[in-house]
Amino acid sequence: MLIIGIILFGILVGAGAQLILGKSTSGIDWTVAFAAGIGGSFVGGLLISLLAGDGLHFRPSGIIGSIVGAVIVTAAWFWWKGRTSSSVG
């Protein structure tokens, strides 16, 4: 049950990050939402540990840290996706 909760939390946070960035013109990319939500939780935890002076510790964070991390991960993904698609053609 915990795994299902983590997956749903990651999807919701990742979808929220896409909505915050306004990059979902054709709808929400659920695969990116899941990856950004789960990865963003750890990125947010890293930022919180750096700000708290604990050093480089990857750990899951709470709701605010997860949303901030997911926004960073989603923005980086869309930047990378735009960079690689423009260099191909």
Side-chain angles (χ1 to χ4, degrees):
M1 198 61 153
L2 177 66
I3 302 290
I4 294 171
I6 291 171
I7 290 170
L8 290 175
F9 179 74
I11 289 172
L12 290 175
V13 168
Q18 288 183 31
L19 293 174
I20 288 170
L21 290 173
K23 299 288 187 179
S24 59
T25 56
S26 64
I28 294 173
D29 185 351
W30 295 106
T31 307
V32 173
F34 172 70
I38 300 297
S41 179
F42 287 99
V43 169
L46 175 66
L47 290 175
I48 289 171
S49 68
L50 286 173
L51 291 173
D54 295 338
L56 292 172
H57 292 287
F58 283 107
R59 58 182 172 208
S61 63
I63 294 172
I64 303 295
S66 296
I67 292 172
V68 170
V71 166
I72 292 170
V73 169
T74 303
W77 171 256
F78 284 125
W79 173 79
W80 180 261
K81 187 177 173 184
R83 184 176 162 255
T84 56
S85 66
S86 66
S87 66
V88 172

